Each structure stands twice: as C-alpha cells, then as structure tokens.
Amino acid sequence: MSEEIIKSESTTEHLHVLGATITITADSDDTDGEFSVKNMLAPPGFENGLHTHEPAEVFHVIDGEMLLYVDGETQYLKPGMTGYVSAGERHGMRVEGDEVLRVLIVMSPAGAEDFFRAVGEPAADRNLPEPREVTNADLEAIFATGEEHGFEFFGPLPADE
C-alpha cells in the first residue's frame, strides 16, 4: 500500500455529480486497488436510483439522514449509523429530511471512482453545486458511461409502502 493514504484538501478530488458533490479521499492508486473512499454531500431529496455494481459498498452517515434500499429492504440511516451493500446487489439511496447529507462511502475493491470521474464535473471544493434540473440527456449519458464501468441502472427507487 502507498505510504501516504491520507490526502490533504489540496490533493483530494471534488466532483459534482447530478447535484451532489463527491470528494475522492482514497482511490485505487492509494490502496493498491483494495478499496476507495468517497465523502459525499447531497441535498435533501437527492436520489441515485436503483442500480448494481461489482464492488461491495459501505455507507457511514456523518450528517443528515438517508434511506438505503437494498434488494427489497429499506433501512433509514442517521448520523453514526452504517449500511452495507454486498457486491452486485440491487440498491439505491435517497436523502431524507431537510438537511444536507454527508456520508462516507467505502467501495471494495476500488475502481468505481473512475466512473465518478467520468460522469462528474471537477469542482474547486466540497460545496454543493447550484441546484439544477436533471435532464433525460444527463441520465442517458450516465447510464451509458455506467455500463462502461460495470454499473447497471434500473430507474428510480420503488415507492415507499
């Protein structure tokens, strides 16, 4: 493993992706491909839709609240709570409540950060982008890029029951 995993604010990558900000704090190069770490800020109501990917994924909520939907089961995560998604499992998340969500995301093995680099717009810092409407063209581009990186998308999360 590389000698310096911890990145400073000047060496982390901030990306705007569909209204959220993803900061890559450790990538494949830092961890010899074993895992990646992302620090995500997402506004109230943000949803990433139902999808799958090969890496397993851990979500640890720092601020705000989120719904984590995993293969038919719904979990509500609050600060200090952690959720887990097995490799290849159908899942998605949505920000609940009125607060901005800050969640640490660990994916193992690493590599999915390249998908976020491909679809995200580089940002100067960890602030949320100005809100804007997500278009069908935005989604089509993300779906196509996702296929190239081992992501498969299935549409929005199921309605709450």
Side-chain angles (χ1 to χ4, degrees):
M1 213 180 287
S2 101
E3 301 226 355
E4 185 181 325
I5 289 181
I6 300 172
K7 294 183 178 187
S8 69
E9 186 65 22
S10 65
T11 59
T12 56
E13 294 174 71
H14 307 288
L15 304 165
H16 289 162
V17 180
L18 296 182
T21 299
I22 296 175
T23 300
I24 300 171
T25 61
D27 64 11
S28 185
D29 291 340
D30 298 320
T31 67
D32 292 335
E34 291 183 24
F35 63 92
S36 65
V37 180
K38 291 168 279 311
N39 186 333
M40 182 170 126
L41 288 179
F46 175 87
E47 177 181 316
N48 67 358
L50 202 55
H51 63 280
T52 61
H53 45 68
E54 250 335 281
E57 191 167 24
V58 174
F59 296 88
H60 181 76
V61 176
I62 305 297
D63 295 310
E65 298 180 12
M66 68 178 269
L67 173 148
L68 178 60
Y69 178 91
V70 182
D71 200 25
E73 305 263 332
T74 301
Q75 305 169 39
Y76 290 91
L77 304 177
K78 296 181 179 190
M81 296 176 75
T82 302
Y84 174 73
V85 179
S86 297
E89 202 160 26
R90 195 178 284 218
H91 68 285
M93 56 81 65
R94 179 175 59 235
V95 178
E96 297 288 303
D98 297 328
E99 291 182 45
V100 170
L101 174 72
R102 180 174 172 211
V103 60
L104 294 179
I105 303 168
V106 178
M107 298 178 84
S108 179
E113 64 273 17
D114 291 336
F115 164 72
F116 296 104
R117 288 176 176 131
V119 299
E121 298 172 21
D125 56 34
R126 194 189 320 243
N127 292 320
L128 285 172
E130 289 295 319
R132 71 172 183 81
E133 192 69 32
V134 175
T135 67
N136 284 336
D138 292 332
L139 294 176
E140 288 173 15
I142 283 182
F143 297 164
T145 302
E147 285 181 25
E148 296 169 13
H149 292 271
F151 283 66
E152 186 173 358
F153 295 92
F154 303 97
L157 296 180
D160 290 338
E161 297 178 358

